[in-house]
């Protein structure tokens, strides 16, 4: 039976199974250049490519980290970087730890026009080309950030925000699968607000 996943079907299923390996998690190291820069400046370091590389290399080459992590989500810059010795790419460093390299593919949140306080995710333009490039560079799964805000007093999230973000997640997933990347489909519910967990 055709799964609809094309020539990548078996690899996509194997990646999903490995990522969900019992007792192991996924390292989210996909902070933007600006966000990781805040971490560096908080300890007196400049936000340079070298310092960002060294910071992430600490995680990717930590002895035995693969026993606890099945994969790592990288930022665009990081997927193209190598370890300080210049001999091993970060992709290869992760593979040596029995971890799967992944990639953040969205381009950030934007205000949803006409719906105060709600957002949609940019990044569909050119996604197929980026996904192909990321696969060629060694990434095997992807992340797309879609955020929903709960605010009962203002009746959020609206149906429009739910539909827009659901549609974006579905399109992202289909494009990634067509290009060999196993998509993590994860609508993010912000922890802000006074609502109980049952509302989430």
């Amino acid at each position: 039976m055709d799964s609809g996943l094309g020539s990548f079907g078996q690899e996509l299923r194997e990646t999903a199974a490995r990522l969900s390996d019992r007792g192991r998690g996924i390292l989210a190291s996909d902070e933007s250049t600006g966000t990781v820069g805040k971490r560096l400046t908080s300890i007196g370091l400049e936000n340079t490519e070298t310092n960002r590389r060294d910071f992430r290399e600490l995680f990717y080459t930590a002895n035995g980290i693969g026993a606890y992590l099945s994969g790592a989500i990288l930022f665009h810059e990081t997927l193209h970087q190598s370890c300080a010795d210049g001999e091993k790419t970060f992709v290869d460093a992760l593979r040596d730890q029995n971890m799967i390299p992944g990639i953040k593919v969205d381009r950030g949140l934007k205000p949803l026009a006409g719906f105060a306080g709600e957002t949609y995710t940019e990044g569909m333009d050119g996604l197929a080309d980026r996904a192909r490039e990321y696969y060629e560079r060694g990434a095997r799964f992807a992340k797309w950030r879609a955020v929903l805000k709960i605010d009962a007093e203002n009746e959020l999230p609206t149906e429009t925000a739910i539909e827009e973000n659901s549609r974006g997640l579905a399109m992202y997933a289909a494009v990634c699968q067509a290009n060999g990347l196993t998509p993590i489909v994860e609508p993010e519910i912000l922890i802000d607000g006074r609502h109980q967990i049952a509302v989430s």
Side-chain angles (χ1 to χ4, degrees):
M1 184 172 93
D2 181 18
S3 65
L5 299 178
S7 61
F8 293 108
Q10 183 62 30
E11 184 178 18
L12 292 167
R13 285 188 287 272
E14 289 172 359
T15 298
R18 286 184 59 202
L19 285 174
S20 56
D21 192 19
R22 188 174 182 86
R24 297 167 79 203
I26 298 174
L27 174 66
S29 59
D30 58 322
E31 305 100 330
S32 68
T33 300
T35 300
V36 76
K38 291 176 185 175
R39 298 184 197 283
L40 293 171
T41 55
S42 73
I43 57 171
L45 294 174
E46 284 185 70
N47 184 11
T48 65
E49 183 178 356
T50 298
N51 285 340
R52 292 192 298 272
R53 180 206 62 211
D54 291 347
F55 174 72
R56 287 177 168 134
E57 186 174 346
L58 288 171
F59 297 107
Y60 303 157
T61 61
N63 188 38
I65 194 171
Y68 309 100
L69 297 170
S70 58
I73 308 167
L74 293 89
F75 188 62
H76 177 87
E77 174 186 71
T78 317
L79 186 67
H80 296 78
Q81 287 178 318
S82 295
C83 296
D85 63 13
E87 295 180 10
K88 184 181 289 186
T89 66
F90 279 163
V91 166
D92 288 336
L94 291 169
R95 286 177 175 161
D96 286 351
Q97 299 266 28
N98 193 29
M99 293 169 62
I100 303 172
I103 183 72
K104 170 183 157 52
V105 297
D106 70 82
R107 292 200 161 150
L109 304 177
K110 296 292 178 183
L112 186 59
F115 295 88
E118 297 190 292
T119 58
Y120 73 97
T121 307
E122 274 194 335
M124 285 306 302
D125 289 349
L127 178 57
D129 292 336
R130 294 196 314 278
R132 273 192 295 276
E133 179 208 337
Y134 295 149
Y135 182 89
E136 289 169 3
R137 288 239 171 219
R140 289 298 179 266
F141 73 97
K143 169 196 166 184
W144 176 276
R145 188 169 185 236
V147 173
L148 295 172
K149 178 180 181 179
I150 296 178
D151 182 344
E153 293 173 4
N154 292 299
E155 299 181 347
L156 302 182
T158 61
E159 287 296 319
T160 300
I162 293 170
E163 289 175 10
E164 177 65 26
N165 282 283
S166 297
R167 186 170 19 259
L169 282 166
M171 291 180 67
Y172 135 79
V175 171
C176 284
Q177 287 176 335
N179 291 283
L181 300 178
T182 298
I184 293 178
V185 179
E186 177 193 13
E188 179 180 340
I189 308 299
L190 293 179
I191 60 173
D192 306 336
R194 299 183 305 182
H195 56 279
Q196 299 297 314
I197 193 168
V199 176
S200 296

